[in-house]
């Protein structure tokens, strides 16, 4: 089964309570809470309240989307409050980042330093039963699947995983190759459909990418040690519109049902 989820950063303009309402009405089962707006690090009382509000509506506060970047000067100092806030929220996973540029630009010293810090972060979280997942993203050490795999193997901790999301323009064949490569360390997916145009990337309705996402969900195999339900977190919608969200989430729910029916 795949659990339908939502990244709260999809609606930064809404307060946390409104995000819970919207998610509950749409059939969302899990939320990844953004640390930049909805659940700031260091405010345990607020985090606890939002976690309780989620659970009262039948939603898991599954992940805490932090902006800790391993390999940057304040990463280790920042992670303590992030971990405390995730625990207050009741999140069982923390999203972190790796570096501020891709490996070829950052250099090997930065790559090795980030790996060391990821190991420490994963060990700290493991002491509290919380997993750590690295964002798979451009302009970071995890811009490419091969570099992500190398980074996680260098960091070498069983509590450390990676997210995956499609880099616009790479196409289905390459996306499937990336998923396969990352399987030994793979956790959850961020779900959206963007295309590349002459003007840059453009958000499109999820429906337009449904064949790609059906193939990706079919191929998605989390790491054998991943301890959580597979969750596809819808992230960002065209024009930040609630109407587009309601349409997109229906397609995500259908994809999740298809996976359940196939078992």
């Amino acid at each position: 089964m795949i659990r339908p989820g939502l990244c709260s950063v999809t609606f930064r303009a809404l307060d946390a309570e409104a995000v819970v309402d919207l998610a509950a009405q749409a059939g969302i089962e899990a939320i990844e809470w953004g640390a930049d707006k909805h659940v700031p690090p260091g405010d345990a009382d607020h985090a606890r309240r939002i976690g309780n509000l989620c659970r009262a509506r039948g939603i898991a506060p599954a992940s805490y989307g932090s902006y800790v970047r391993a390999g940057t000067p304040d990463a280790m100092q920042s992670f303590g409050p992030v971990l405390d806030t995730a625990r207050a929220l009741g999140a069982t996973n923390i999203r972190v980042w790796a570096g501020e540029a891709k490996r070829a630009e950052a250099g090997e010293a930065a790559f090795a330093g980030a790996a060391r810090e990821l190991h420490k972060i994963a060990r700290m979280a493991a002491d509290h039963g919380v997993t750590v997942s690295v964002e798979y993203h451009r302009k970071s050490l995890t811009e490419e699947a091969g570099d992500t795999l190398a980074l996680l193997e260098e960091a070498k901790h069983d509590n450390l995983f990676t997210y995956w999301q499609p880099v616009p323009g790479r196409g289905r064949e390459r996306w499937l190759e990336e998923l396969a490569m990352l399987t030994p360390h793979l956790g959850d997916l961020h779900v959206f459909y963007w295309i590349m145009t002459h003007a840059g990337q453009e958000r499109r309705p999820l429906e337009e990418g449904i064949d790609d996402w059906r193939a990706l969900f079919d191929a998605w195999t989390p790491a054998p040690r991943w301890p959580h339900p597979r969750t596809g977190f819808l992230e960002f919608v065209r024009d930040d519109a609630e109407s587009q969200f309601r349409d997109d989430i229906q397609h995500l729910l259908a994809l999740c049902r298809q996976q359940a029916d196939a078992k």
Side-chain angles (χ1 to χ4, degrees), residues 1-192:
M1 287 187 62
I2 296 177
R3 183 170 58 173
L6 172 68
C7 291
S8 78
V9 295
T10 304
F11 293 110
R12 284 190 173 102
L14 300 180
D15 61 28
E17 293 80 1
V19 171
V20 174
D21 280 341
L22 193 63
Q25 293 165 13
I28 292 292
E29 297 178 15
I31 294 177
E32 178 173 275
W33 284 103
D36 60 338
K37 167 69 163 59
H38 294 119
V39 184
D43 191 342
D45 289 341
H46 175 70
R48 193 172 296 109
R49 186 172 64 82
I50 297 305
N52 288 337
L53 183 60
C54 282
R55 287 181 285 272
R57 303 292 295 274
I59 299 170
S63 185
Y64 187 42
S66 86
Y67 290 88
V68 171
R69 285 184 177 264
T72 60
D74 63 346
M76 296 310 301
Q77 181 179 356
S78 299
F79 188 70
V82 162
L83 178 56
D84 291 343
T85 306
R87 293 177 63 204
L89 179 65
T92 53
N93 180 72
I94 297 173
R95 188 276 310 274
V96 299
W97 297 64
E100 297 177 298
K102 62 183 179 181
R103 183 179 185 178
E105 296 173 357
E108 292 308 300
F111 183 86
R116 286 193 298 272
E117 291 193 349
L118 285 171
H119 179 91
K120 293 176 183 176
I121 284 169
R123 186 181 63 206
M124 289 170 64
D127 290 341
H128 299 282
V130 178
T131 56
V132 174
S133 298
V134 181
E135 179 83 346
Y136 186 75
H137 208 279
R138 288 168 290 182
K139 297 183 180 179
S140 75
L141 295 171
T142 55
E143 181 168 326
E144 302 289 343
D147 291 339
T148 304
L149 190 62
L151 182 68
L152 297 177
E153 291 178 350
E154 177 87 5
K156 199 174 182 179
H157 200 292
D158 284 345
N159 195 46
L160 182 63
F161 301 88
T162 183
Y163 276 104
W164 181 86
Q165 64 188 38
V167 174
R170 288 184 178 174
R172 187 193 305 182
E173 183 176 349
R174 185 169 173 187
W175 292 336
L176 289 169
E177 289 174 355
E178 293 174 352
L179 272 184
M181 287 179 65
L182 295 173
T183 291
H185 305 282
L186 188 60
D188 289 329
L189 270 56
H190 287 162
V191 178
F192 53 82

Side-chain angles (χ1 to χ4, degrees), residues 179-220:
L179 272 184
M181 287 179 65
L182 295 173
T183 291
H185 305 282
L186 188 60
D188 289 329
L189 270 56
H190 287 162
V191 178
F192 53 82
Y193 188 64
W194 297 2
I195 63 171
M196 294 303 296
T197 70
H198 293 301
Q201 63 190 23
E202 179 183 327
R203 298 182 189 182
R204 299 298 302 166
L206 186 61
E207 181 180 16
E208 294 181 9
I210 204 68
D211 289 340
D212 288 336
W213 275 107
R214 188 175 292 112
L216 290 164
F217 273 26
D218 286 344
W220 175 15

